[in-house]
Amino acid sequence: MNVSRTSLPRELYFFYEKNTGVSHFHVEAGADGQFPVEQAAGLLAMHCLVRGQSPRDYVVMVQAASDSLEGLTEKAEQLLQAGHSVGSSVKLTRREEEVLGGVMRSLANKEIAASLNLSERTVKFHVSSLLAKFRVRGRMELVREAARHTAAPMTMAPPSVSPREARPSVPPPHTYSQVARNMGPIALTKRQLLA
């Protein structure tokens, strides 16, 4: 195989500013295929002088060979289309997102209604709407499909506690020695253990 070096495409070396990622200039490999150190050093010094920078502020990248990038654009387009279809397939209102957050936390309709200050009937309506939008028949399927389709965590207001349910809590101690000296065992109710 007797192919001259001049007939092959020459590599390009791009100089990118590290902080911004902006390409400021590039140099082409010499006829012998080697990196042109003198030319690159001159251009780099000139850019650093004008911009008040250091050569260490730049990174050099080499253009990838076209055969190594074969199929990249097509595959990226396919993934992009798939991403758009997943992201746009299920549109939820703010209230539906809040109700879905409660469903994903395994709360009953009554608990979701109480935490969002809604009627239980309204929550049932939103759950039915969610089942239809995700094309599922039950809450477990809804949770699975919602977890698959949504990237952001569902938000829901923390459950409200009525004043009679509120109990004083013991502040956490700062050091182990204070616990050993100042406190004995702390009795916790079943509700506190499950929280």
Side-chain angles (χ1 to χ4, degrees), residues 21-179:
V22 174
S23 174
H24 288 285
F25 65 95
H26 69 273
V27 294
E28 189 176 5
D32 59 355
Q34 297 296 312
F35 177 71
V37 176
E38 295 297 322
Q39 179 190 8
L43 286 170
L44 182 58
M46 183 178 64
H47 275 272
C48 290
L49 185 64
V50 169
R51 297 176 170 279
Q53 295 175 315
S54 160
R56 287 182 176 75
D57 293 332
Y58 288 84
V59 64
V60 180
M61 297 184 142
V62 181
Q63 183 178 20
S66 59
D67 60 342
S68 63
L69 300 177
E70 190 174 317
L72 172 66
T73 303
E74 294 80 13
K75 185 65 177 173
E77 287 291 337
Q78 290 172 354
L79 292 170
L80 185 60
Q81 287 175 357
H84 285 306
S85 67
V86 168
S88 63
S89 64
V90 181
K91 299 278 189 208
L92 301 179
T93 65
R94 181 184 57 82
R95 187 62 84 189
E96 285 172 337
E97 286 180 2
E98 293 171 344
V99 170
L100 181 57
V103 172
M104 292 182 81
R105 290 177 48 210
S106 301
L107 297 178
N109 287 351
K110 191 174 189 176
E111 295 171 306
I112 297 170
S115 65
L116 296 175
N117 291 327
L118 298 173
S119 70
E120 195 172 345
R121 184 176 177 160
T122 302
V123 171
K124 285 181 185 178
F125 169 79
H126 286 304
V127 170
S128 296
S129 174
L130 289 165
L131 293 172
K133 283 186 177 184
F134 283 98
R135 298 179 183 165
V136 293
R137 288 192 268 175
R139 290 171 86 101
M140 291 305 291
E141 287 179 84
L142 175 61
V143 169
R144 184 174 53 247
E145 285 300 306
R148 210 166 58 87
H149 285 283
T150 56
M154 295 291 122
T155 59
M156 188 175 134
S160 59
V161 179
S162 65
R164 62 190 157 136
E165 289 182 23
R167 291 186 178 89
S169 61
V170 177
H174 288 78
T175 62
Y176 176 75
S177 60
Q178 287 177 332
V179 173

